[in-house]
Amino acid sequence: MTDTHAHLDFLAPEELEEVRAHLGELRAVLTLGVDPARWEKTLELAQGNVYAAVGLHPTSAHLLSPEVEEALGHYARHPRVRAVGETGLDYHWTPETRAAQFRALDFQAALAQALGLPLVLHVRSRDGKAEEDLAGWLLAHRPPRVVLHAFSGHPALVGAGLAVGAYFSFAGPLTYRKNQALREVVRQLPPDRLLVETDTPFLPPEPHRGKRNRPHYVRHTLAKLAEVLGLDYGEAERLTDGNAEGLFRFAA
């Protein structure tokens, strides 16, 4: 199984020890550093079957400067880096930086394309406006390799994602009892564009809700995905592992 989105740099030392004890259960983990203060630590953690992505989260988009652009370009060329991001739009926490978020998104999309790396997208809002704006951005820019991380099923992003050939990554909320609508969305998507993730230490799946997440908990999301698709666990594991390899090229 592959955890395509984690933040191992957010974990305490004892939590990292637990993660390392279970890494043998996973084919690969992608850990993401989301602001300049986290890029070095993220790359330090990218060893063995742990790989890295570096980017500027939309809530940190106000930090973008020529110096930060230069530094991000440097870190993104590290041999353990497999993606740029996460970037995107967040009107839930920082709606006042909307213009800066678009500038950071545009820069990171161009960087990812220049380096031949996938672009990892985050989106969140209270009213769906960020999701609608990101859908419009996707249709206008059509990045060649893109993943919608922790996908929540917004209809505009379903349509835009399908139109541009995006990957759709599902986290713990897919397992939540009241989230039947999200499980219905899974059935609308091409199987070869489905991924699973944890967003460690956030978004823990059932039965770990209320606790801090771990990469090996991705098995619960994978099991639910298998159930929704009518596959056995092994088939769903082979499907999502293959999709992750095709997108992130961990074996390269």
Side-chain angles (χ1 to χ4, degrees):
M1 56 189 178
T2 303
D3 181 4
T4 63
H5 197 112
H7 299 281
L8 300 186
D9 60 308
F10 279 76
L11 299 179
E14 62 273 15
E15 293 176 312
L16 277 172
E17 285 304 308
E18 180 188 354
V19 167
R20 291 183 175 116
H22 288 274
L23 281 177
E25 302 166 22
L26 291 131
R27 184 168 182 172
V29 176
L30 186 71
T31 187
L32 292 92
V34 294
D35 66 53
R38 296 182 175 275
W39 296 337
E40 285 279 359
K41 178 65 172 177
T42 296
L43 292 176
E44 289 173 10
L45 292 167
Q47 301 179 29
N49 62 343
V50 178
Y51 299 85
V54 289
L56 196 62
H57 193 278
T59 58
S60 297
H62 62 283
L63 298 175
L64 191 69
S65 67
E67 293 76 18
V68 168
E69 290 180 1
E70 182 179 0
L72 182 53
H74 168 74
Y75 284 112
R77 289 171 170 83
H78 190 282
R80 298 295 293 180
V81 167
R82 292 295 186 272
V84 172
E86 63 195 271
T87 180
L89 301 174
D90 193 312
Y91 301 169
H92 179 86
W93 295 114
T94 52
E96 71 280 1
T97 66
R98 179 180 180 275
Q101 292 181 42
F102 272 101
R103 287 194 296 271
L105 172 57
D106 289 343
F107 170 74
Q108 290 173 87
L111 177 63
Q113 186 162 354
L115 298 180
L117 293 172
L119 184 69
V120 180
L121 295 180
H122 162 104
V123 64
R124 189 176 182 188
S125 65
R126 293 180 173 88
D127 58 4
K129 180 59 176 170
E131 287 80 356
E132 292 169 2
D133 283 355
L134 188 62
W137 183 92
L138 278 171
L139 292 172
H141 291 81
R142 296 184 172 268
R145 293 165 64 202
V146 64
V147 55
L148 294 162
H149 131 73
F151 191 62
S152 63
H154 191 282
L157 279 175
V158 171
L162 289 172
V164 304
Y167 288 76
F168 300 83
S169 184
F170 292 89
L174 186 71
T175 70
Y176 299 169
R177 286 186 290 273
K178 294 183 179 180
N179 231 349
Q180 184 58 32
L182 183 59
R183 291 187 282 275
E184 290 299 326
V185 167
V186 170
R187 298 187 178 97
Q188 303 173 32
L189 303 175
D192 66 352
R193 288 297 184 267
L194 300 178
L195 303 169
V196 288
E197 63 170 91
T198 61
D199 202 23
T200 291
F202 314 108
L203 300 180
E206 300 285 359
H208 298 286
R209 290 189 74 177
K211 303 174 183 177
R212 283 166 65 82
N213 211 350
R214 303 285 189 272
H216 57 283
Y217 293 174
V218 76
R219 69 176 70 255
H220 301 291
T221 303
L222 182 58
K224 182 58 67 175
L225 185 76
E227 177 187 314
V228 170
L229 295 176
L231 303 175
D232 65 37
Y233 184 90
E235 289 173 324
E237 184 175 33
R238 288 189 291 274
L239 172 70
T240 53
D241 280 354
N243 293 345
E245 181 59 42
L247 176 63
F248 296 111
R249 301 171 184 168
F250 295 124

